Amino acid sequence: MRRASTLASSVLSRTLTSTLHDGGALSTIKHRFLLASLYSTTSNTGNSHSRRIFNPFSSSLGVAGALVSAAAAASLSQDVLAKEPPRAELVPKEVVLYQYEACPFCNKVKAYLDYYDIPYKVVEVNPISKKEIKWSDYKKVPILMVDGEQLVDSSAIIDKLGNKIHGKEIVESASDKDDDDEEIKWRRWVDNHLVHVLSPNIYRNTSEALESFDYITSNGNFSFAEKITVKYAGAAAMYFVSKKLKKKYNITDERAALYEAAETWVDALNGREFLGGSKPNLADLAVFGVLRPIRYLRSGRDMVEQTRIGDWYTRMENSVGGSARIKA
Ligand SMILES: N[C@@H](CCC(=O)N[C@@H](CS)C(=O)NCC(=O)O)C(=O)O
């Protein structure tokens, strides 16, 4: 009990202290509590629907949503479901993702691995101790180990892995490419805009903050004492932090900003099934990846009810298919 209350006050004080600092501190908070855990699942199941059902928030509407998605999947044409798996000899032998299940950047990488059916193991990092990545100089997640090589930073990971599995010698990264490139432009929009709209939404009020932390603590790597304390202290702290984040990113109405982002994305599709045309490209995978952890939270359900994004999202679920995750 004493340990729990000490932990709670330490969590709170760390979080609140961070709010008094500048943007770097805000991102620390985001990492520790929001992104860190919101986007994860420590369950060892490898299937995207079970991942959603595992989400405690998906209890009623979420499960129904997953079932509807499954039915929609079954009715989709083979064309949409067809993927282009990499040549077997180019698939890495061992891929390990160090992640927070709820981290949008980690989920972006997972969407890529799932889409290309690249088997990967997951190591869920404890966002407080980070002991699982003590061996690395890089202190954020995702970290992707590919046959012993450490890759960091979600967009760079995807570019480098893409070069490997598509057999490209020259490492071309997103930052080398032109701003006019549509795929690049929207990948940048995900990193520079979309991810910042998510936190104020999932911590919008006390009930949504608790819903998010219930998910975070149920799926992240926390000790028993941390689970209890982080859930309540974190939810309370993030409720206040999300107000700060709104200011930082000039968001007045967080839901309006989320809906606007969803509509902006649908406009970008311009009637196409995917931004990539008949198949998802890296921008489709990035948008899908960062939205996946919130899809069956209140904010994600609202987004799908209030905007036109649902059809594209369902096409993406079907196209990405089940998780390629294997047991660690
Ligand atoms: N630009 C990086 C951002 C990664 C990032 O900020 N990750 C957060 C988790 S969502 C993190 O690890 N923060 C550090 C922390 O938790 O202390 C990427 O795209 O991978």
Side-chain angles (χ1 to χ4, degrees):
M1 190 65 202
R2 200 187 130 108
R3 172 160 156 62
S5 65
T6 309
L7 182 59
S9 62
S10 126
V11 163
L12 255 179
S13 85
R14 274 164 88 173
T15 306
L16 294 175
T17 303
S18 303
T19 65
L20 303 175
H21 293 149
D22 58 16
L26 288 175
S27 56
T28 300
I29 292 158
K30 192 171 64 180
H31 307 155
R32 289 285 154 89
F33 296 109
L34 152 65
L35 309 180
S37 321
L38 172 65
Y39 299 87
S40 80
T41 299
T42 33
S43 91
N44 289 327
T45 61
N47 153 318
S48 60
H49 285 143
S50 62
R51 172 168 49 218
R52 255 156 237 122
I53 289 163
F54 183 70
N55 170 357
F57 304 113
S58 68
S59 51
S60 53
L61 278 175
V63 172
L67 293 174
V68 169
S69 300
S75 72
L76 270 186
S77 75
Q78 279 307 109
D79 278 357
V80 173
L81 293 172
K83 296 192 208 178
E84 285 165 37
R87 293 208 314 269
E89 69 272 21
L90 295 177
V91 176
K93 291 188 179 36
E94 194 183 46
V95 176
V96 184
L97 176 66
Y98 291 82
Q99 68 152 19
Y100 303 145
E101 183 70 22
C103 158
F105 305 104
C106 305
N107 276 276
K108 208 192 322 159
V109 172
K110 275 194 290 193
Y112 184 90
L113 294 166
D114 292 340
Y115 180 70
Y116 283 106
D117 285 331
I118 301 170
Y120 60 96
K121 294 176 187 163
V122 166
V123 175
E124 187 68 20
V125 175
N126 179 306
I128 298 168
S129 70
K130 290 199 191 159
K131 64 177 190 307
E132 296 79 7
I133 54 168
K134 279 258 152 54
W135 52 269
S136 173
D137 288 340
Y138 186 73
K139 294 300 166 212
K140 294 183 180 180
V141 292
I143 297 175
L144 194 71
M145 292 302 293
V146 180
D147 291 335
E149 182 187 354
Q150 176 184 243
L151 305 182
V152 300
D153 195 284
S154 57
S155 292
I157 290 172
I158 289 167
D159 288 334
K160 287 183 184 151
L161 191 57
N163 283 326
K164 282 180 194 291
I165 67 169
H166 295 117
K168 288 189 196 161
E169 291 295 328
I170 300 160
V171 177
E172 187 183 29
S173 78
S175 52
D176 300 332
K177 289 198 188 163
D178 208 305
D179 263 353
D180 291 343
D181 183 304
E182 188 186 43
E183 185 182 24
I184 294 293
K185 177 181 146 194
W186 288 101
R187 287 178 73 191
R188 289 193 183 134
W189 174 79
V190 171
D191 290 346
N192 300 331
H193 178 73
L194 185 57
V195 290
H196 301 308
V197 173
L198 304 179
S199 320
N201 273 282
I202 64 169
Y203 302 121
R204 186 166 72 124
N205 51 39
T206 42
S207 88
E208 285 186 58
L210 270 175
E211 179 195 45
S212 300
F213 268 90
D214 192 19
Y215 176 44
I216 288 169
T217 50
S218 302
N219 296 291
N221 178 358
F222 295 102
S223 69
F224 180 73
E226 285 170 350
K227 260 189 186 142
I228 312 289
T229 51
V230 166
K231 176 172 171 183
Y232 293 98
M238 284 309 297
Y239 169 74
F240 292 107
V241 170
S242 76
K243 310 285 165 223
K244 272 245 168 207
L245 288 169
K246 277 174 67 175
K247 234 188 194 155
K248 177 171 156 65
Y249 295 110
N250 280 327
I251 298 168
T252 39
D253 178 336
E254 58 281 324
R255 273 299 197 272
L258 181 64
Y259 299 162
E260 194 187 323
E263 292 293 347
T264 299
W265 174 245
V266 176
D267 286 342
L269 297 175
N270 200 16
R272 293 169 289 185
E273 278 184 287
F274 302 103
L275 197 83
S278 59
K279 292 191 192 314
N281 67 13
L282 297 181
D284 288 291
L285 289 169
V287 176
F288 177 70
V290 304
L291 290 180
R292 193 147 60 159
I294 74 153
R295 168 61 184 93
Y296 295 103
L297 295 180
R298 178 67 203 254
S299 48
R301 298 197 304 263
D302 286 354
M303 176 185 72
V304 167
E305 273 165 28
Q306 301 297 325
T307 74
R308 297 167 294 153
I309 202 167
D311 289 348
W312 168 84
Y313 189 92
T314 303
R315 283 196 293 278
M316 283 303 297
E317 277 187 325
N318 297 325
S319 189
V320 170
S323 172
R325 176 176 173 172
I326 54 176
K327 274 196 170 172

